[in-house]
Amino acid sequence: TSPDRAHALLGPIELALMGESDVRIAQALVWRKAGAGRGIAAEKFLSQIPEIPASLLQHRDEFPLLTLVAGHIGNVKACRMAGLKHKEYGYTDETLVPFDERRTLPKQWTWIRAHDGTPNLGRKPSVCRAECIESQFLYSGIDSVGVAIYLVHGKRGHVMDLPESVCADDRNVCASVCPFGISDLCADRGDDTNPMYGSAVFVRE
């Protein structure tokens, strides 16, 4: 994560509790500052955040975004914490569903490494999803990952497609995080090409 972004969201006492290079604590406190673990003491909240798996610690140019994902927080609450519109469009926590239950994240705090979709600009979400399925160890973006990237790492310069999360009422459209104008998590991204849209991809432990 960007230390500058993390520190901007923290107070002096919180900063004193953490080492400058401790990404785990920095990202946990970003989530806490946004509203996760409300009413829980900082020490107790931090004890709930898993250690970063050794396999994810080393920087990878193709997946630069080490990210703490809140798989157990519904989209309505998570988007409110991240400053993304979602409920305002009539969406609920049931609007988006996994394209494949086997290729999602557990409903708990989870660490991943991701890119924000830049390598996939101008490509169909379905094509990116199919490539990830074929690779077996790659995962195309899901709703909780897109929200986490936005919250932890900030706005991207393009729309992040999230092909692995589709609309329950129309599985031909998927989720996306749009940073332009009113930033939002939408559930109506069509399967077409656009030079300003790209599918996020991530790896797990």
Side-chain angles (χ1 to χ4, degrees):
T1 186
S2 164
D4 291 339
R5 173 166 173 75
H7 290 183
L9 296 174
L10 306 179
I13 295 177
E14 291 167 316
L15 285 172
L17 290 173
M18 59 177 283
E20 290 295 317
S21 62
D22 196 330
V23 175
R24 174 180 170 270
I25 294 177
Q27 292 202 21
L29 291 178
V30 168
W31 275 102
R32 184 171 184 267
K33 190 77 172 181
R38 189 178 301 278
I40 301 175
E43 293 80 2
K44 184 175 182 181
F45 178 71
L46 290 173
S47 72
Q48 300 173 0
I49 306 302
E51 297 292 334
I52 302 172
S55 61
L56 299 181
L57 279 173
Q58 186 172 357
H59 177 78
R60 297 175 60 176
D61 288 341
E62 69 272 37
F63 298 111
L65 304 177
L66 177 62
T67 307
L68 178 62
V69 180
H72 58 300
I73 297 178
N75 285 330
V76 170
K77 181 178 179 180
C79 285
R80 184 173 67 248
M81 290 192 294
L84 291 166
K85 299 295 184 182
H86 187 67
K87 180 181 179 182
E88 291 80 358
Y89 301 143
Y91 298 146
T92 70
D93 287 337
E94 285 72 48
T95 297
L96 290 166
V97 297
F99 181 81
D100 184 341
E101 288 282 359
R102 298 167 298 179
R103 299 186 61 79
T104 187
L105 290 175
K107 295 186 180 302
Q108 61 190 39
W109 293 110
T110 305
W111 290 98
I112 63 161
R113 269 201 175 275
H115 68 59
D116 63 7
T118 298
N120 288 324
L121 290 174
R123 307 183 69 217
K124 288 184 177 183
S126 63
V127 171
C128 298
R129 181 174 59 220
E131 289 177 351
C132 289
I133 292 173
E134 184 177 356
S135 75
Q136 297 184 350
F137 68 91
L138 297 178
Y139 294 81
S140 57
I142 60 176
D143 45 14
S144 59
V145 167
V147 173
I149 289 174
Y150 185 94
L151 172 63
V152 174
H153 300 289
K155 284 187 177 184
R156 319 319 288 168
H158 59 273
V159 176
M160 274 191 297
D161 290 336
L162 307 167
E164 204 63 48
S165 290
V166 296
C167 182
D169 294 333
D170 183 356
R171 292 175 59 86
N172 293 313
V173 298
C174 67
S176 65
V177 171
C178 178
F180 307 125
I182 300 175
S183 300
D184 52 38
L185 171 67
C186 281
D188 59 359
R189 164 70 168 119
D191 192 35
D192 54 28
T193 61
N194 188 307
M196 291 301 295
Y197 289 61
S199 296
V201 173
F202 67 96
V203 292
R204 299 174 58 182
E205 183 180 2

